Amino acid sequence: MANKNIQNFAKEMLNENVFSCRVCKNLLAVPVMMVVNIGDVCHSCFQTKNEENDWNSLPNTTLDTILRKLLLPCKFQSEGCETEVLCDVLKQHENKCSYRLVDCLMPKEQCEWLGKSADLFKHFEEEHETHVLKEQCGEYSFEIDPRNFGTITKLLTYNNKTHVLKIKKSDDDNSLLQFLKGESNMVVEYTGKSNVFETKLQALSFDVAFDERNGQKIQLSTLKEVMQEDEVVKVVIKPEKYELKDVNYEITKHLECPVCKDIMRQPILLCCSGHSNCQSCRNNLSRCPTCRKAFPVQNIRNFSLEALTPFAEYECVYSQFGCTSTLLGSEIDEHEDGCTYQTYECPKNNCEFKGNFAACRNHFKVQHTCDLVKGTVYETSIFPIPFTYTRKLYFFEYGNIFELSFTHHQNSCSCFVRILTKYNKRDKYYFIVRLVSSDDAQCFITKSECCLDRNDNETSFMNNNLLPYEDSFQNKIKFYCEIKKTTVCINTNNE
């Protein structure tokens, strides 16, 4: 009898709009905030509007307690849903409610259908049959032309469950965004005649699957590398067979940043109430997104949570460019330093190209061939001149980009080599310079030095002019610069 009275009370309060948010007019969602001169505001409205309005507010914990004890109706009751659930799980139900109204999966200009979620896939299969993929040997496939690309929506079923794959161009037109709605993660392969780009897509729930922020990027430059001379790229979708271990899943649940949803790495920073955020999000916020309290003036690190990061599994930060590696936190930084999928800006001035190592190398072959050194050895002739000039050349070797800065003075020359890419610090790269008479009869000098890191200050080779010209060889001299890899940096004496 008591429960019946409570529910009658709840219905009466709902009819009187006592449990309605004063901003959005929808049912209050806990935690409820009491805002001065406004009234009770739901958690969602408070999060989105408080920062711009700087409301004077207090948590309404008493109302939270009441709401958590009531069975509340689904907001799609008018559409036919008769479900009543506790407040804490109401939002979860509404996000999956089969009576909620949804648009067709196709763009609005192609289909204006609006109907119940339960009827969506039936409508799609009947009206957009050409966009339903049929399984072949456990895989699904279709073709795209990245040079003439529109939004693609495909429907597929796996293990008696329906999935939706959506691919569209990003606003900057430099990449594609991938979205996957469903319950099982998928692997997507973009295949040309000789190259394959593979990426893993995480399946998301319907309410967030097509949110722009959840789109996984693929650089168009990467697809062009796959496509080469082909007009189209074959897209193959297949289930991901890899599953996280239970222990790792438990770790990653606690390491997920509440803002960007990425797995946090060191340093992990705390708010005054003890909520954790990754450093990147913390730097862009003035208040904790969980409790809305201001962050402390000095950063406070969560060392206990950081101690878990070596045992969590991380996707490579360059996964959107094609890397499929998943490594422990104790290994991921070293991998990313040498990952061949990392992207770079073209080192040439006034060139806006960006791409991974292979794409950047091909770009140089086409656009900057005069400044590209093929192989590991650069050769030129030098002789006394009445002026000074500097030239920069680029090697694409050992999976790295090297920049040779060569300066020819009036009666001498100097040079240094810089590594522009990240690389495993255990690897050592050095360059050897040789000056030889024009007829190869005599080697005047041979010296070597470790290549500079891209953040090192520029220094001339050996801190001295490489070669003062002597009266005995005023004719042309051959200059050689060779890049080598070793575990130890070698220095040779003058010959």
Side-chain angles (χ1 to χ4, degrees), residues 90-327:
L90 181 61
K91 187 68 175 177
Q92 182 180 353
H93 161 76
E94 290 175 345
N95 287 339
K96 296 182 178 181
C97 180
S98 59
Y99 288 90
R100 72 188 187 280
L101 294 179
V102 295
D103 294 315
C104 178
L105 298 170
M106 300 298 290
K108 276 277 190 183
E109 59 271 17
Q110 297 182 31
C111 183
E112 296 182 353
W113 182 86
L114 177 68
K116 295 179 182 178
S117 170
D119 300 329
L120 173 62
F121 296 142
K122 181 181 178 182
H123 156 78
F124 196 90
E125 290 174 345
E126 291 177 350
E127 301 297 327
H128 309 290
E129 185 179 358
T130 57
H131 295 275
V132 179
L133 296 182
K134 303 298 182 182
E135 180 183 349
Q136 294 181 342
C137 301
E139 298 180 350
Y140 307 83
S141 64
F142 60 95
E143 293 183 340
I144 63 171
D145 184 352
R147 296 168 297 189
N148 184 22
F149 190 84
T151 300
I152 291 174
T153 305
K154 299 293 181 181
L155 194 72
L156 55 150
T157 56
Y158 172 64
N159 280 352
N160 298 319
K161 297 174 182 176
T162 304
H163 294 70
V164 180
L165 174 69
K166 183 178 179 180
I167 306 175
K168 59 174 287 188
K169 263 193 179 181
S170 61
D171 292 337
D172 60 11
D173 284 336
N174 292 325
S175 56
L176 298 183
L177 293 176
Q178 302 176 112
F179 307 86
L180 180 66
K181 182 267 175 189
E183 299 182 35
S184 304
N185 296 344
M186 295 285 181
V187 174
V188 182
E189 293 180 352
Y190 294 83
T191 307
K193 284 184 178 179
S194 57
N195 293 330
V196 178
F197 169 85
E198 183 179 286
T199 180
K200 289 181 286 187
L201 276 184
Q202 180 182 0
L204 300 173
S205 59
F206 197 100
D207 56 315
V208 299
F210 302 141
D211 189 318
E212 292 289 315
R213 294 169 295 180
N214 293 329
Q216 183 171 320
K217 279 188 177 182
I218 304 176
Q219 295 297 316
L220 286 175
S221 58
T222 301
L223 285 188
K224 289 178 182 178
E225 176 72 15
V226 170
M227 190 170 61
Q228 293 184 348
E229 302 300 324
D230 299 343
E231 293 184 358
V232 296
V233 172
K234 184 179 180 181
V235 182
V236 178
I237 308 105
K238 51 190 178 182
E240 181 188 22
K241 296 180 180 179
Y242 176 80
E243 295 181 0
L244 291 174
K245 297 177 182 178
D246 290 343
V247 63
N248 186 66
Y249 175 72
E250 292 301 320
I251 291 175
T252 54
K253 276 199 309 184
H254 296 288
L255 285 174
E256 185 180 274
C257 175
V259 181
C260 66
K261 304 303 181 183
D262 286 340
I263 306 304
M264 293 183 288
R265 306 188 187 190
Q266 301 183 29
I268 299 173
L269 304 178
L270 288 166
C271 78
C272 295
S273 299
H275 301 118
S276 297
N277 296 273
C278 72
Q279 186 178 41
S280 177
C281 292
R282 164 67 180 85
N283 291 339
N284 293 321
L285 296 170
S286 59
R287 294 178 179 272
C288 173
T290 305
C291 67
R292 309 304 301 168
K293 291 184 179 179
F295 283 115
V297 177
Q298 292 185 330
N299 288 335
I300 303 173
R301 292 177 62 176
N302 189 339
F303 290 107
S304 296
L305 203 55
E306 286 182 12
L308 298 177
T309 58
F311 309 102
E313 288 181 326
Y314 294 84
E315 278 192 347
C316 175
V317 72
Y318 303 111
S319 59
Q320 61 178 298
F321 302 108
C323 184
T324 58
S325 297
T326 302
L327 297 164

Side-chain angles (χ1 to χ4, degrees), residues 334-483:
E334 181 178 331
H335 161 78
E336 289 175 351
D337 279 347
C339 181
T340 57
Y341 288 93
Q342 60 186 298
T343 57
Y344 305 95
E345 297 179 357
C346 176
K348 295 290 292 181
N349 291 334
N350 303 319
C351 183
E352 298 181 354
F353 177 86
K354 293 181 181 179
N356 59 24
F357 179 81
C360 200
R361 179 181 56 201
N362 286 345
H363 164 74
F364 249 79
K365 287 180 181 178
V366 177
Q367 300 295 333
H368 310 296
T369 185
C370 293
D371 299 313
L372 176 65
V373 180
K374 295 180 180 179
T376 59
V377 180
Y378 169 66
E379 174 185 352
T380 189
S381 295
I382 58 175
F383 50 88
I385 56 174
F387 56 87
T388 297
Y389 78 91
T390 297
R391 186 179 182 191
K392 292 189 177 182
L393 300 123
Y394 300 88
F395 301 77
F396 285 77
E397 297 294 335
Y398 306 112
N400 295 302
I401 304 174
F402 299 85
E403 179 186 72
L404 166 63
S405 183
F406 173 76
T407 302
H408 192 174
H409 306 281
Q410 293 184 25
N411 62 347
S412 62
C413 61
S414 60
C415 70
F416 62 87
V417 174
R418 183 185 307 283
I419 307 175
L420 301 183
T421 47
K422 290 183 179 179
Y423 61 98
N424 191 324
K425 300 301 181 182
R426 292 180 301 181
D427 295 331
K428 300 294 183 182
Y429 299 96
Y430 68 101
F431 63 104
I432 300 174
V433 171
R434 293 184 179 88
L435 292 162
V436 184
S437 60
S438 57
D439 57 1
D440 293 329
Q442 181 181 0
C443 180
F444 298 119
I445 189 172
T446 299
K447 290 185 177 181
S448 71
E449 186 69 44
C450 285
C451 297
L452 301 175
D453 187 79
R454 62 181 177 179
N455 298 319
D456 289 342
N457 293 325
E458 295 185 8
T459 55
S460 295
F461 185 84
M462 303 297 287
N463 296 319
N464 291 306
N465 288 333
L466 188 63
L467 176 72
Y469 285 90
E470 303 290 347
D471 293 338
S472 57
F473 43 92
Q474 285 293 324
N475 295 322
K476 288 183 180 180
I477 296 174
K478 289 183 180 179
F479 170 88
Y480 296 90
C481 179
E482 181 177 6
I483 297 176

